[in-house]
Amino acid sequence: MEDFLYEFFVNPFVSLGSGLAAAGSAGGPLDCIYAVISAFDGFVWGPIMILLLLFTHIFMTIRTGFIQRKVGTAIKMSVTADDPSSAEGDISQFGALTTALAATIGTGNIVGVGTGLLFGGPGAIFWMWITGILGMATKYAEVYIGVKFRVKDHAGKMLGGAMYALERGFKNKKLGKFLAVLFAIFAACASFGIGASTQSNSLSDAIYNTKLFDGAAIPSYVIGIIVVILVAIVILGGIRSISRVCEKLVPVMAVFYTICCIIIIGMNIEFLGEAVRQILAGAFTPQGAAGGAIGATITMALQFGFKRGIFSNESGMGSAPLVAASATTRNPARQALVSMTGTFWDTVVICLLTGLMLMTTILAHPEIAASVASGAISSGAGLATAAFESIPVFGPLVLLVGLVCFTYSTMLGWNQYGNRAISYLFGKKAVVPYCAIFLLFVFWGCMMVGAGVDKSLSNVVWDFADIMNALMAIPNCIAVLGLSALIARETKHYVYDGNIEEVDDTEIPQYDEK
């Protein structure tokens, strides 16, 4: 227990101090900045942030009466369009869900699971799954207040998210406004990193390193131009254009990836039982994957399982409500239930399948575990690539198509998140300049691939994006916890008292100044 307490509550501060001290002795100004950002990334995504999000997940699970048990109803509702004649909104409930899923289902579902397995052991997959189940309650709650306190812009379009929930829902208006501005700043900054450059970088890297063809022979700027054009065509059309594309792309890519994972698991079916055993055992005892040196302690399994799970499904970060607030819905509970299924599909289903696929493949190919033990494989991306490429032709094809589709859809979804944040801060006039800068980051991410490219700047962008994601969660969790009594009271009325079809006729205010 002493080791656990030290690892969770003392070591993060020790590591931060060591990182800042190392930054002070760095070679140059840029090296110093890189070291500082890296140190803060390790700190903000340490146990303190994990505990904040985990507490919010558990607290809202209790406050909503274990809303997760309504997931069946929510899934059915997600594919049933609400009647526009009795509901307000700009896009369908399913469109809002798939747009949020587009941003959520990304490299975290492939590379992130590999990272969790590599450093947290098989048990990390179990805790990632638990995080997904608990996170459904937080996703429900944050979307509920996002829709509850949404507003209309000067043209009558819906705007919503943690910004408006904090500004309109909190009694202390000054505090609410301050936290709302912070959230919008963090979300906008995060979109340039996690939504643009890091995604395009992963896409370009997947093409460069694929074994299906000579990807290295394709110039990075060519890939960059093509990706920018494909992203621009959609995002310049606005939320309805993004929603239409995501409604078609997300279900197809999710089903394709799911089926491929099941096929690979089926090819290694004799190792499935042992994979499940190691995942369950590793959650509560020190356990290395396939008997190798993957993972070391229960603390690491908890930390990496929670971290990668939270990062993958974004429950608690407040991103999904930015789009969900545009949905055509009779009352906040309906869209909150629909959006809750996003966490279910992302983590409870897709991340679990990825974890089982990786584990069965590692067990079927002991040379992969040996490469991890020797240090030849030292990253989640390397582990995922090795696992997929152990299946000739089919494996690399799944990896390439999966990463290309996931990263492209994530860019579309996160552009809309940033769009909403920028609109809140500066008004509609800032949207076009924002999109232009977003596309520049997309192009730059593609260029940071290939031999001779300095990876340090690319790495620092990943770290900076991580920090912004974590900081988004702070004001968002404050909003969710501060308005939890309202969420609990109205959830009882709509969900548990049988009034889910009731129309909420509360007037939605219009913000003419923006």
Side-chain angles (χ1 to χ4, degrees):
M1 178 57 74
E2 289 181 7
D3 291 340
F4 179 84
L5 293 175
Y6 177 85
E7 189 71 29
F8 252 71
F9 296 105
V10 178
N11 192 52
F13 291 96
V14 173
S15 298
L16 176 62
S18 300
L20 294 178
S25 59
L30 288 179
D31 292 332
C32 179
I33 293 173
Y34 296 166
V36 168
I37 291 177
S38 179
F40 272 104
D41 177 42
F43 178 75
V44 298
W45 271 112
I48 295 175
M49 179 57 62
I50 292 170
L51 290 175
L52 168 65
L53 290 167
L54 185 59
F55 170 78
T56 304
H57 291 350
I58 295 173
F59 183 77
M60 292 315 302
T61 294
I62 296 170
R63 287 293 267 166
T64 58
F66 202 83
I67 195 69
Q68 293 91 330
R69 58 195 167 107
K70 295 292 183 179
V71 68
T73 301
I75 292 173
K76 181 180 179 181
M77 200 177 294
S78 68
V79 295
T80 305
D82 215 339
D83 184 2
S85 64
S86 61
E88 292 192 81
D90 303 323
I91 58 177
S92 68
Q93 291 180 326
F94 186 67
L97 170 63
T98 52
T99 302
L101 275 173
T104 304
I105 299 177
T107 55
N109 296 88
I110 302 177
V111 176
V113 176
T115 301
L117 177 59
L118 183 68
F119 297 105
I125 297 171
F126 174 84
W127 294 117
M128 189 181 296
W129 190 70
I130 293 297
T131 302
I133 293 176
L134 295 175
M136 290 167 65
T138 301
K139 183 64 69 71
Y140 170 90
E142 63 188 11
V143 170
Y144 191 99
I145 58 176
V147 177
K148 174 74 177 178
F149 295 104
R150 63 184 176 175
V151 302
K152 295 178 181 178
D153 67 8
H154 67 287
K157 302 295 183 182
M158 295 293 180
L159 300 172
M163 308 90 72
Y164 300 98
L166 286 161
E167 182 180 324
R168 297 184 58 217
F170 271 35
K171 292 181 180 179
N172 188 327
K173 298 302 180 184
K174 289 185 178 179
L175 174 62
K177 182 66 176 180
F178 173 72
L179 291 173
V181 170
L182 283 182
F183 175 85
I185 292 172
F186 297 147
C189 291
S191 72
F192 294 129
I194 199 64
S197 58
T198 57
Q199 298 301 323
S200 61
N201 180 261
S202 295
L203 184 153
S204 184
D205 189 59
I207 294 174
Y208 182 86
N209 289 298
T210 184
K211 292 185 176 180
L212 293 174
F213 52 84
D214 187 9
I218 304 175
S220 296
Y221 71 86
V222 173
I223 296 174
I225 291 172
I226 294 173
V227 174
V228 165
I229 291 173
L230 291 175
V231 173
I233 289 173
V234 180
I235 67 173
L236 294 178
I239 179 63
R240 292 190 178 183
S241 175
I242 294 174
S243 173
R244 284 195 297 269
V245 172
C246 291
E247 281 185 355
K248 296 176 176 62
L249 175 62
V250 170
V252 172
M253 74 177 193
V255 170
F256 168 79
Y257 181 73
T258 298
I259 291 174
C260 290
C261 280
I262 292 173
I263 291 173
I264 295 176
I265 292 171
M267 294 171 68
N268 302 317
I269 192 66
E270 61 186 291
F271 300 98
L272 180 60
E274 176 61 16
V276 172
R277 188 199 69 76
Q278 288 198 23
I279 289 170
L280 294 175
F284 304 101
T285 59
Q287 181 86 15
I294 303 178
T297 66
I298 304 173
T299 302
M300 292 176 68
L302 282 165
Q303 183 171 344
F304 279 94
F306 287 140
K307 178 178 177 179
R308 300 325 304 178
I310 290 166
F311 188 82
S312 175
N313 61 54
E314 298 180 10
S315 294
M317 291 183 188
S319 51
L322 294 168
V323 168
S326 297
T328 301
T329 183
R330 300 183 197 184
N331 57 66
R334 289 179 66 87
Q335 184 56 41
L337 283 169
V338 170
S339 294
M340 178 183 78
T341 65
T343 299
F344 173 80
W345 295 122
D346 177 87
T347 306
V348 179
V349 176
I350 295 180
C351 282
L352 176 62
L353 284 173
T354 301
L356 290 173
M357 183 275 299
L358 290 175
M359 278 298 300
T360 55
T361 303
I362 290 171
L363 289 166
H365 300 272
E367 68 274 9
I368 297 178
S371 296
V372 172
S374 67
I377 296 177
S378 59
S379 68
L383 179 60
T385 300
F388 276 104
E389 290 184 346
S390 66
I391 311 294
V393 182
F394 181 73
L397 177 65
V398 174
L399 180 63
L400 179 63
V401 173
L403 283 175
V404 168
C405 290
F406 286 2
T407 53
Y408 178 65
S409 66
T410 299
M411 285 185 274
L412 299 182
W414 262 98
N415 173 265
Q416 190 59 29
Y417 292 164
N419 182 319
R420 290 301 196 233
I422 287 292
S423 295
Y424 177 81
L425 292 170
F426 304 111
K428 186 179 179 181
K429 63 182 181 295
V431 171
V432 173
Y434 161 76
C435 287
I437 297 172
F438 185 90
L439 291 172
L440 286 175
F441 272 94
V442 169
F443 182 78
W444 175 78
C446 290
M447 295 298 292
M448 292 294 104
V449 171
V453 173
D454 182 3
K455 298 286 187 178
S456 57
L457 186 57
S458 178
N459 291 336
V460 83
V461 172
W462 273 99
D463 290 344
F464 179 76
D466 274 351
I467 294 171
M468 292 300 104
N469 274 145
L471 294 179
M472 281 175 64
I474 297 174
N476 182 65
C477 285
I478 291 173
V480 168
L481 295 173
L483 297 169
S484 61
L486 177 147
I487 296 168
R489 182 175 64 252
E490 296 195 2
T491 295
K492 180 180 182 301
H493 172 76
Y494 286 119
V495 179
Y496 298 119
D497 291 346
N499 298 306
I500 197 65
E501 301 298 329
E502 181 180 309
V503 176
D504 181 5
D505 55 5
T506 304
E507 184 178 356
I508 301 175
Q510 187 160 354
Y511 278 27
D512 291 323
E513 68 273 17
K514 291 186 178 182

